[in-house]
């Protein structure tokens, strides 16, 4: 690593570390540096007397506490952040003059904030929702913010509808219910009258709305942007982040239970994996369209409710982002980070996408409200690494001490500085797009094709993905009390997307089946929208296995399987009736990481039942242990059992898959249930278990999908 790269990588962390908290031997002080002798009793007129006004320490401490909160974000209030770097694979110079995309040896520091959209700051992570995926690049040419989501399209086509959308989806104003959920009347009332949301609704009802982990989730810039090279040639682009672990989703029943067992599930997963060195990685990709091809497509390329199918416009890999450092202070970094799609650097520019145009106004405005003033750019997490020189002055909480008397331009007293920079000197020059039109409140004709990409989405899913989408619609609309809204959703919305879909949705929500409608048929198929077809990955890396064990477990055979798991980069936790040390049949010991009351199957990707006659006898009498295996099985995840451990599986309802009996000498792997009898080869078992774990979900376990609560 050369000095420049190193200094860039560390510069941001050094800037954030500038304040050392409470070094060894430090004394408690007031905010103004006076040492404090006592902080347990307020100053009183006698031990039983009233507190005195002159107790400046008490009043300062309490006043600061009273002002600890800033307004939470109106949307995306709940978030989790991480630091890292971005590095391009090769120079993109040919397409964009952005410096951070031009030098493959250069690492640019980044800060990413993942979020849910609807819930309040303290809401659960695993709700059905879009996820925010916002990245701040601290480039040498200034801040570039890529403020995207984990879905490539949006609900509305024009920013002016955003306040309506958010009012409709947020808790209802009379009783502030429900929290972090779209499943209520006002949201579906609005949607049933907004056909342009059809494509996005399909994404929201799909598995993409229930990510297993922020590490296993793609990101999208959604809008069409421009890249402009040094010659001034522009191209249309769309941004994509592709998780190198592939996409993985929870099932609905799991998300509900997880919201209670561990509301911080996604936040914890991100934090713990970064601490363990499992650094999340995402490849930055773009799709590119030449300017003269702008009108060559069935859809308008400026429409944010449409994707550019990859069969038409392939992805180009640009580089990789690695998140390798947790924040040190949630408030100072994750809460105070302020994104804005208008933070761009030379080489990147906007288009006339009317949703993007709306955002370009909203973000600074919202930061003014959150920070109570215009100096939020001076907060450490928001400060660029590039130098800042301008004549902006003063305002609430100004940090910079601007010296000298010249704060205007043009000037001669300051030698004409700071002076403007043309493109040759690295200045940002807006792309000179020709604009010529009448002032109208209107949209282009192709924007009015609301249903064909929703139809494409539906037909690009695997059948089990379609099943879960229908179940999701049953839940969401089943919570809608107003019959006319449910009917409108079936007749005017789903039926226009696909008749079969509408019939299936109608069945679950007491709506009469709709008349046949074949008005929509997309000629596109986009396998990339399906997690099953394109974006999942068979890997055990970072998957988390629960080992069920008890006193008298079999150590040796369990260790062999654990070794194989670790080799593949998985992790394991021992779950038992009680916390404490477990003793094996051959005198070995192992600590129980979790007890049944502090854990649940939904926190793991698979379960492995250890062998050992005594241990299994104990576990068979524990409802929690039997329930653990059953639930893992019902959620279509991998279940493994060693020797007598098979009896625990037999005890439960893990039926429909074949298994080896406890005293056999075989290994049986069937539909994600992997078992080995006492005489069976443990290495073979370990290989099969790892293979099944890599597959993650086993939908073939239940072809009629009666058992898996989707
Ligand atoms: Fe946002 N959005 N948004 N949005 N958005 C905000 O800005 C807004 C939209 C997105 O982790 C707010 O700082 C309007 C699309 C993310 O801090 C606010 C419109 C996409 C985040 C705002 C949109 C996003 C926000 C609230 C329609 C995906 C969280 C707090 C014109 C491409 C960033 C804040 C973080 C946050 C406005 C639509 C992504 C109110 C008006 C489309 C990831 O300014």
């Amino acid at each position: 690593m050369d000095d420049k790269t190193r200094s860039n990588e560390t510069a941001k962390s050094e800037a954030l570390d500038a304040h050392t908290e409470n070094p060894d031997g430090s004394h408690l002080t007031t905010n103004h540096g006076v040492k404090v002798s006592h902080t347990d009793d307020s100053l009183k007129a006698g031990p039983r007397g009233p507190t005195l006004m002159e107790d400046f320490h008490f009043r300062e401490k309490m006043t600061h506490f009273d002002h600890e909160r800033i307004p939470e974000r109106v949307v995306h209030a709940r978030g989790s952040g991480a630091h890292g770097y971005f590095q391009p694979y090769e120079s993109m110079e040919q397409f964009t003059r952005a410096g951070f995309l031009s030098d493959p040896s250069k690492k640019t520091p980044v800060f990413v904030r993942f979020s849910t959209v609807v819930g309040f700051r303290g809401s659960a992570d695993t709700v059905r929702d879009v996820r925010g995926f916002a990245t701040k690049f601290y480039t040498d040419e200034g801040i570039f913010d890529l403020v995207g989501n984990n879905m490539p399209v949006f609900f509305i086509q024009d920013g002016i509808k955003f306040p309506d959308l958010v009012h409709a989806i947020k808790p209802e104003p009379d009783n502030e219910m429900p929290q972090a959920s779209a499943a209520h009347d006002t949201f579906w009332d609005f949607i049933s009258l907004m056909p342009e949301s059809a494509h996005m609704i399909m994404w929201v009802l799909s598995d993409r709305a229930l990510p297993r982990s922020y590490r296993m989730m793609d990101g999208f810039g959604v809008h069409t942007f421009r890249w402009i090279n040094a010659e001034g040639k522009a191209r249309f682009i769309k941004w994509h982040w592709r998780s190198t672990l592939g996409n993985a989703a929870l099932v609905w029943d799991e998300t509900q239970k997880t919201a209670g067992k561990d509301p911080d599930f996604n936040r914890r997963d991100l934090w713990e994996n970064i601490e363990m060195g499992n650094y999340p990685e995402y490849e930055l990709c773009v799709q590119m369209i030449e300017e003269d091809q702008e009108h060559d497509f069935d859809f308008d390329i400026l429409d944010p409710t449409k994707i550019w199918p990859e069969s038409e416009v392939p992805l180009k890999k640009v580089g990789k982002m690695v998140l390798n450092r947790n924040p040190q202070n949630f408030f100072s970094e994750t809460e105070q980070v302020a994104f804005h799609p208008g933070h761009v650097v030379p080489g990147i520019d906007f288009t006339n996408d009317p949703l993007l145009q709306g955002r370009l106004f909203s973000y600074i405005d919202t930061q003014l409200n959150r920070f109570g003033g215009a100096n939020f750019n001076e907060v450490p997490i928001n400060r660029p690494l590039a130098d800042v020189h301008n004549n902006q002055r003063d305002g609430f909480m100004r940090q910079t001490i601007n010296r000298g008397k010249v704060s205007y331009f043009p000037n001669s007293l300051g030698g004409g500085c700071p002076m403007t920079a043309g493109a040759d000197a690295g200045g940002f020059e807006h792309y000179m797009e020709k604009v010529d039109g009448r002032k109208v409140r209107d949209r282009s004709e192709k924007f009015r094709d609301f249903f064909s990409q929703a139809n494409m989405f539906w037909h690009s899913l695997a059948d089990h993905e379609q099943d879960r989408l229908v179940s999701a619609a049953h839940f969401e609309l089943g919570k809608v009390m107003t019959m006319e809204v449910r009917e409108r959703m079936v007749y005017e919305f789903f039926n226009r997307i696909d008749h079969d879909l509408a019939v299936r949705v109608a069945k679950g929500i007491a709506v009469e089946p709709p008349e046949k409608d074949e008005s929509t048929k997309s000629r596109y198929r986009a396998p990339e929208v399906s997690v099953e077809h394109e974006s999942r990955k068979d890997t055990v890396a970072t998957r988390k296995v629960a080992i069920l064990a008890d006193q008298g477990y079999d150590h040796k055979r369990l260790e062999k399987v654990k070794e194989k798991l670790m080799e593949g980069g998985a992790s394991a936790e021992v779950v038992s009736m009680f916390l404490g040390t477990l003793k094996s049949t051959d005198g070995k010991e192992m600590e129980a990481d979790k007890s049944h009351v502090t854990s649940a199957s939904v926190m793991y990707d698979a379960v492995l039942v250890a062998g050992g006659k005594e241990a299994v006898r104990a576990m068979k009498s524990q409802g929690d242990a039997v329930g653990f295996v059953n639930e893992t099985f019902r959620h279509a995840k991998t279940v493994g059992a060693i020797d007598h451990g098979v009896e625990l599986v037999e005890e439960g309802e893990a039926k429909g898959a074949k298994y080896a009996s406890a005293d056999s000498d075989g290994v049986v792997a069937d539909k994600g249930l992997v078992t080995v009898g006492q005489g069976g080869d443990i290495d073979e078992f370990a290989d099969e278990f790892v293979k099944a774990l890599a597959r993650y979900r086993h939908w073939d376990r239940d072809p009629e999908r009666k058992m898996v609560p989707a």
Side-chain angles (χ1 to χ4, degrees):
M1 205 191 298
D2 62 25
D3 284 352
K4 179 109 203 242
T5 314
R6 186 176 299 111
S7 68
N8 235 313
E9 243 194 295
T10 52
K12 195 66 205 169
S13 52
E14 277 168 15
L16 288 166
D17 278 350
H19 169 75
T20 315
E21 191 80 28
N22 307 335
D24 281 355
S26 61
H27 286 110
L28 180 71
T29 72
T30 67
N31 274 336
H32 300 91
V34 175
K35 286 184 187 154
V36 172
S37 58
H38 189 125
T39 193
D40 295 331
D41 298 284
S42 58
L43 187 70
K44 301 187 196 74
R48 302 182 62 245
T51 299
L52 299 176
M53 275 277 274
E54 70 179 69
D55 186 352
F56 58 84
H57 167 55
F58 166 76
R59 278 190 294 127
E60 181 199 75
K61 184 175 173 182
M62 193 57 83
T63 307
H64 198 278
F65 168 76
D66 291 344
H67 294 257
E68 270 177 12
R69 291 289 172 276
I70 62 173
E72 68 171 32
R73 290 164 172 80
V74 62
V75 283
H76 298 265
R78 180 167 178 83
S80 307
H83 292 273
Y85 67 85
F86 169 78
Q87 188 167 19
Y89 291 137
E90 54 177 317
S91 173
M92 291 291 125
E93 226 171 348
Q94 185 190 347
F95 308 111
T96 170
R97 55 186 282 234
F100 78 104
L101 297 173
S102 302
D103 179 359
S105 71
K106 186 161 195 75
K107 289 183 174 177
T108 298
V110 297
F111 184 77
V112 174
R113 184 173 180 273
F114 300 106
S115 48
T116 55
V117 177
V118 181
F120 294 177
R121 230 188 96 176
S123 55
D125 278 345
T126 56
V127 294
R128 177 176 296 285
D129 200 354
V130 190
R131 299 300 187 284
F133 189 140
T135 310
K136 192 175 278 297
F137 295 78
Y138 302 90
T139 87
D140 289 348
E141 295 165 300
I143 297 278
F144 167 53
D145 285 343
L146 177 46
V147 199
N149 280 343
N150 76 328
M151 297 178 191
V153 289
F154 202 63
F155 298 92
I156 49 173
Q157 294 176 326
D158 189 311
I160 198 167
K161 299 301 299 169
F162 193 68
D164 299 294
L165 166 73
V166 175
H167 287 172
I169 201 169
K170 280 272 179 177
E172 297 185 8
D174 50 354
N175 55 21
E176 207 177 67
M177 292 192 279
Q179 178 57 242
S181 171
H184 58 113
D185 285 48
T186 57
F187 179 65
W188 290 101
D189 179 30
F190 175 76
I191 291 301
S192 68
L193 301 167
M194 289 291 290
E196 70 200 55
S197 64
H199 189 192
M200 180 66 167
I201 289 300
M202 298 299 277
W203 283 84
V204 171
L205 293 176
S206 80
D207 291 350
R208 299 275 184 150
L210 311 173
R212 154 70 180 86
S213 161
Y214 292 137
R215 302 174 297 114
M216 299 168 195
M217 179 179 97
D218 292 341
F220 304 89
V222 175
H223 310 282
T224 301
F225 286 84
R226 275 194 171 86
W227 268 5
I228 297 131
N229 67 14
E231 286 78 53
K233 182 171 168 48
R235 291 175 177 84
F236 295 104
I237 63 123
K238 272 195 191 287
W239 301 103
H240 297 246
W241 287 116
R242 289 290 148 97
S243 153
T244 57
L245 287 172
N247 281 264
L250 300 172
V251 296
W252 179 241
D253 184 62
E254 245 178 336
T255 66
Q256 302 290 285
K257 290 174 175 153
T258 308
K261 289 281 182 183
D262 186 6
D264 305 305
F265 185 73
N266 290 138
R267 176 178 290 181
R268 191 182 311 285
D269 169 272
L270 181 66
W271 180 277
E272 287 182 351
N273 278 282
I274 291 177
E275 290 300 300
M276 285 190 276
N278 294 334
Y279 299 141
E281 292 182 357
Y282 310 82
E283 287 189 305
L284 183 67
C285 308
V286 288
Q287 287 177 294
M288 240 186 276
I289 291 180
E290 298 292 333
E291 285 225 307
D292 59 8
Q293 292 171 352
E294 182 175 0
H295 301 291
D296 289 359
F297 300 89
D298 289 9
F299 46 87
D300 192 319
I301 66 162
L302 300 185
D303 178 353
T305 66
K306 307 289 188 329
I307 61 166
W308 300 352
E310 286 172 31
S311 55
E312 303 292 301
V313 190
L315 282 193
K316 180 177 181 54
K317 287 186 182 179
V318 176
K320 190 187 269 186
M321 174 166 77
V322 179
L323 300 181
N324 56 10
R325 193 158 56 85
N326 277 317
Q328 300 184 64
N329 184 281
F330 184 90
F331 180 83
S332 301
E333 299 171 70
T334 310
E335 190 61 13
Q336 291 208 109
V337 67
F339 294 96
H340 174 28
H343 290 156
V344 287
V345 291
I348 300 171
D349 212 325
F350 316 116
T351 63
N352 297 329
D353 168 347
L355 190 67
L356 174 60
Q357 294 286 322
R359 294 179 75 197
L360 293 177
F361 166 73
S362 174
Y363 285 66
I364 292 273
D365 195 34
T366 224
Q367 308 311 352
L368 291 173
N369 187 47
R370 287 207 305 130
F371 290 86
N375 287 319
F376 55 86
N377 54 303
E378 293 189 329
V379 168
I381 193 72
N382 295 325
R383 240 180 260 154
L385 285 175
D387 291 346
V388 175
H389 304 289
N390 59 42
N391 296 315
Q392 292 167 29
R393 292 290 184 274
D394 310 345
F396 283 111
M397 301 292 165
R398 184 68 172 175
Q399 309 289 304
T400 312
I401 300 177
N402 296 109
R403 298 182 180 86
K405 56 173 109 232
V406 180
S407 56
Y408 52 88
F409 184 87
N411 67 66
S412 68
L413 298 183
C417 291
M419 58 192 166
T420 55
D424 291 348
F428 188 95
E429 285 185 354
H430 288 267
Y431 179 64
M432 282 198 284
E433 182 183 2
K434 186 166 185 304
V435 182
D436 183 13
R438 292 184 186 282
K439 291 181 189 168
V440 287
R441 290 189 186 275
D442 202 356
R443 59 187 89 177
S444 98
E445 209 38 51
K446 280 188 193 165
F447 271 50
R448 291 181 213 281
D449 166 18
F450 301 136
F451 296 107
S452 62
Q453 287 214 347
N455 175 279
M456 171 195 78
F457 184 91
W458 171 249
H459 288 289
S460 301
L461 296 183
D463 57 354
H464 57 83
E465 290 178 302
Q466 289 187 337
D467 293 346
R468 290 192 295 281
L469 189 151
V470 171
S471 279
H474 289 166
F475 177 85
E476 294 284 316
L477 292 166
K479 292 267 189 173
V480 170
M481 296 299 126
T482 315
M483 193 46 154
E484 299 84 80
V485 171
R486 287 194 223 163
E487 286 173 346
R488 209 156 47 225
M489 281 306 300
V490 170
Y491 302 140
E492 309 292 332
F493 202 94
F494 288 120
N495 208 29
R496 306 278 299 277
I497 296 173
D498 181 86
H499 179 66
D500 177 48
L501 162 67
V503 171
R504 291 175 64 185
V505 171
K507 197 171 165 196
I509 56 170
V511 169
E512 288 297 315
E515 310 250 308
K516 186 106 187 140
D517 183 330
E518 288 186 334
S519 56
T520 312
K521 267 205 179 96
S522 171
R523 68 186 178 90
Y524 296 114
R525 288 290 173 271
E528 68 269 22
V529 307
S530 149
V531 171
E532 181 64 27
H533 288 149
E534 199 97 328
S535 60
R536 51 175 293 279
K537 285 223 170 86
D538 274 3
T539 173
V540 292
T542 82
R543 297 224 198 278
K544 200 170 169 183
V545 178
I547 295 174
L548 290 196
D550 213 302
Q551 303 296 349
Y553 73 99
D554 180 284
H555 192 81
K556 211 164 151 202
R557 282 167 67 87
L558 177 63
E559 279 308 299
K560 290 239 170 178
V561 186
K562 269 170 77 180
E563 270 167 33
K564 264 273 154 49
L565 286 172
M566 302 307 137
E567 260 171 43
S571 67
E573 279 186 350
V574 178
V575 178
S576 193
M577 178 83 165
F578 300 118
L579 292 178
T581 307
L582 302 179
K583 287 207 163 52
S584 72
T585 42
D586 55 354
K588 295 273 179 357
E589 291 187 348
M590 155 173 104
E591 288 301 310
D593 300 295
K594 295 270 162 60
S595 66
H596 282 300
V597 286
T598 61
S599 69
S601 83
V602 293
M603 295 171 181
Y604 301 93
D605 297 312
V607 62
L608 174 63
V609 186
K613 202 166 179 178
E614 282 310 304
V616 175
R617 185 183 302 160
M619 287 193 277
K620 277 163 66 179
S621 68
Q622 299 160 7
D624 282 335
V626 177
F628 203 108
V629 174
N630 283 348
E631 202 171 48
T632 311
F633 196 79
R634 282 159 61 84
H635 291 154
K637 294 186 289 197
T638 301
V639 174
I642 305 172
D643 309 345
H644 286 286
V646 179
E647 291 169 20
L648 189 67
V649 176
E650 275 175 310
E651 190 75 20
E653 50 184 69
K655 299 189 184 90
K658 290 187 229 89
Y659 50 85
S661 68
D663 46 17
S664 72
D665 56 5
V667 172
V668 178
D670 186 38
K671 305 186 179 81
L673 176 60
V674 188
T675 45
V676 57
Q678 288 179 78
D681 179 348
I682 197 69
D683 292 319
E684 187 189 338
F685 169 83
D687 287 340
E688 291 295 339
F689 185 72
V690 162
K691 216 192 287 169
L693 177 63
R695 185 77 186 77
Y696 188 38
R697 302 273 173 181
H698 304 275
W699 305 114
D700 56 341
R701 186 175 284 167
D702 179 25
E704 279 104 49
R705 247 108 33 216
K706 288 186 187 130
M707 182 185 69
V708 180

